[in-house]
Amino acid sequence: MLGADEAILKKMTAPPDGKYKILACDDDPMILTYYETVLTARGFEVITAATGKECLETARKTRVDAILLDVNLTDTSGLDVCSILKEDPSTQSTPLLFVTAAFSDLRGRVISFEAGADDFVVKPFTPEELILRVLSLIRTRELQERGHREQQTRALLLEEKRHSERLKGANEELQSFTYAVSHDLRVPLVNIKGFVGELKEGLSLIRSSIGAVLPHLDEATSKKLAQVLDGEIPEALQFIDTSASRMDKLINAIFILSRMGRRELHPELLNMTQLVEILLKSLAHSIEERHIKVMVGLLPDLLADRTSMEMIVGNLLSNAVKYLDPSRPGEIEITGTSDPEEVTIRVRDNGRGIRESDQGKLFQLFRRLGNQDVPGEGMGLSYVRTLVRRHGGRIWCDSKEGVGSTFTFVLPRSSS
Amino acid sequence: MSPVLIKTILLVEDDPGHALLVEKNLRRANLMAELVTVANGQDALDYVFGEGRFARSTGVASRLLLILDLNLPVLDGYQVLKRIKSDERTKRIPTVILSTTEDSPEISRCYDLGCSAYITKPIDYNQFSVAVRNLGLFLAIVSVSGGD
């Protein structure tokens, strides 16, 4: 029987990584030597303390796996040492085993547990009993800690999942809201535009027949009437018409943005050199007319949705062309790099650049920065950013006013 | 299929402004057909099938052209289109979808359900006139060839 116990003990005493460290505290040097002999033989590392004070100092200084504490110490009571250790956050989780002859009765056990002891062993005890108790405490603590860690990890994962679901929900809500709003706002606009048209038709009918009536009116009235019919009413109608058109364009832009957010992507391996060539052809007229020097570097192939990529690069290129500085010869450069994880594409120009204070607004909806001498909706870069993000990528701009801008976007190599 | 003389145009449109604009432009195209306007999908079906407040002894409406908005109360345009196109008696009624939506999946869905034409309500008045006038012209041709 004892042989079998020995084998089990040997197996149990081999810690998973490194030795278990035990702090043993007793005012009797004989007992300390005994602990050292017994525990070291089983593979434990033993630190000894002869007083309660020394025990506290060591426990605070050195992380140990368990503490053996004698109840009766010369300098102080073991119970007090125990209470202090169990109140100190740095030591309270270390398993503590009381060693005593005194607490053999029930009252003594209650006192020791109240002081915070995890277990106790009553003298006299066999080395096996001591080791089993110490090991059992260490294992229990390890299991508790592991359980706690797992619980934390599970809680974190759950929180992350909840967060991403909330985000997904909010995003879907925003998409459908955008869709509904852009759709519903067009209904009244159709009326505004439509009936302005009706008014224009009516007005032109009046103007074509008024000639016959005018000579019958006094001069002042006739003049005033002509002014209203030829100037004020057409002008008012024109304002309504233009504003409604402008509003329709804005609504349409939002609609397109929401459609881009919802559109299914079909990633394929794209030859970027070819794609850029085709895009440059569509800009050839402006490029030649303004004598722009275009340099296309070696571009890496890219796994992405073709339509999206055409929009992204097309927008960046046409912006580069549109916002060149007329006072110097225009230069546009497209380059790319890749590493195992990501592909980076850069579109650099020596154009007018963007004021530093404006750079944060660059990708926002309807933002048009700087001189408003180039027509546009202010939507291009919003579309671009939406599409880059949908590919799991990011885009930014480095720019200096009067020097030029570089737009860089980075996409992951694998489709996400 | 031989051309059919269109006697009635049923306009299903819940926005009174849109209905009036469509009517004005159809009239400008000198369209002789009678124009009936209803404001929801259920009334549209009742008219087509001759039921409810449109009950008639002759039953299903004949020589009809349907102009159908998509966003409608009670029953929407898709539901109306589906009902009409899945019934033997009504599936040949030419149906034109008139909508503010330019979303291609929605356009495809209407063609899949069997609509004859899909016109997005263009905000540009001239385009709008042209679109509806083209429709009127198409009707006029149908009427003339049907009358022959």
Side-chain angles (χ1 to χ4, degrees), chain A residues 179 183-184 186-191 193-198 201 244-245 248 252 255 259 262, chain B residues 15 17-18 20-21 24-25 28 71 99-104 106 121-125 128 133:
Chain A
Y179 178 80
H183 190 270
D184 291 351
R186 301 194 91 187
V187 174
L189 273 178
V190 167
N191 280 329
K193 289 281 283 180
F195 285 103
V196 164
E198 292 298 318
E201 291 243 335
S245 298
D248 183 50
N252 202 39
F255 180 76
R259 188 158 55 185
R262 288 175 299 131
Chain B
D15 187 284
H18 290 200
L20 187 57
L21 286 170
K24 279 174 175 290
N25 282 282
R28 275 194 198 110
N71 292 314
S99 172
T100 47
T101 308
E102 286 167 16
D103 206 17
S104 59
E106 297 197 11
K121 287 176 188 168
I123 205 77
D124 185 294
Y125 180 68
F128 183 82
R133 273 179 192 150

Side-chain angles (χ1 to χ4, degrees), chain A residues 64-125:
Chain A
V64 297
D65 296 292
I67 299 168
L68 286 176
L69 184 61
D70 189 29
V71 172
N72 298 306
L73 297 168
T74 38
D75 60 334
T76 172
S77 155
L79 284 172
D80 290 343
V81 176
C82 177
S83 300
I84 295 168
L85 285 171
K86 288 300 174 186
E87 272 162 26
D88 186 334
S90 70
T91 54
Q92 66 186 178
S93 66
T94 309
L96 190 138
L97 182 69
F98 263 130
V99 184
T100 178
F103 288 160
S104 46
D105 61 348
L106 187 64
R107 203 186 127 267
R109 292 181 199 188
V110 172
I111 291 171
S112 71
F113 281 121
E114 275 178 351
D118 296 278
D119 199 0
F120 60 93
V121 57
V122 182
K123 289 174 192 166
F125 48 78

Side-chain angles (χ1 to χ4, degrees), chain A residues 27-198:
Chain A
D27 51 4
D28 184 344
M30 286 286 285
I31 296 200
L32 285 181
T33 310
Y34 172 76
Y35 287 148
E36 272 191 301
T37 315
V38 170
L39 291 168
T40 312
R42 311 287 173 175
F44 291 94
E45 190 185 330
V46 182
I47 306 168
T48 55
T51 61
K53 194 175 164 242
E54 202 185 327
C55 178
L56 285 173
E57 278 169 6
T58 312
R60 282 171 182 154
K61 212 166 56 206
T62 318
R63 212 203 76 85
V64 297
D65 296 292
I67 299 168
L68 286 176
L69 184 61
D70 189 29
V71 172
N72 298 306
L73 297 168
T74 38
D75 60 334
T76 172
S77 155
L79 284 172
D80 290 343
V81 176
C82 177
S83 300
I84 295 168
L85 285 171
K86 288 300 174 186
E87 272 162 26
D88 186 334
S90 70
T91 54
Q92 66 186 178
S93 66
T94 309
L96 190 138
L97 182 69
F98 263 130
V99 184
T100 178
F103 288 160
S104 46
D105 61 348
L106 187 64
R107 203 186 127 267
R109 292 181 199 188
V110 172
I111 291 171
S112 71
F113 281 121
E114 275 178 351
D118 296 278
D119 199 0
F120 60 93
V121 57
V122 182
K123 289 174 192 166
F125 48 78
T126 63
E128 284 74 27
E129 193 186 351
L130 175 72
I131 286 161
L132 271 177
R133 297 237 169 171
V134 169
L135 274 177
S136 136
L137 282 182
I138 293 176
R139 292 284 152 88
T140 308
R141 182 54 41 93
E142 280 179 351
L143 282 174
Q144 277 174 353
E145 278 171 1
R146 194 161 76 201
H148 187 63
R149 272 199 306 274
E150 276 168 10
Q151 207 179 351
Q152 273 181 327
T153 313
R154 264 201 305 277
L156 260 166
L157 280 173
L158 197 72
E159 181 53 36
E160 204 177 289
K161 203 176 150 212
R162 277 196 198 125
H163 185 68
S164 103
E165 270 166 14
R166 267 200 302 273
L167 209 65
K168 204 174 150 223
N171 197 32
E172 275 167 13
E173 220 169 272
L174 187 68
Q175 296 288 4
S176 68
F177 170 78
T178 313
Y179 178 80
V181 163
S182 53
H183 190 270
D184 291 351
L185 286 180
R186 301 194 91 187
V187 174
L189 273 178
V190 167
N191 280 329
I192 296 175
K193 289 281 283 180
F195 285 103
V196 164
E198 292 298 318

Side-chain angles (χ1 to χ4, degrees), chain A residues 7 22 24 81 86 118 139 231 244 259 266 383 385 394-395:
Chain A
I22 310 294
V81 176
K86 288 300 174 186
D118 296 278
R139 292 284 152 88
R259 188 158 55 185
H266 303 285
Y383 295 154
R385 188 176 61 175
R394 54 195 191 278
I395 182 164

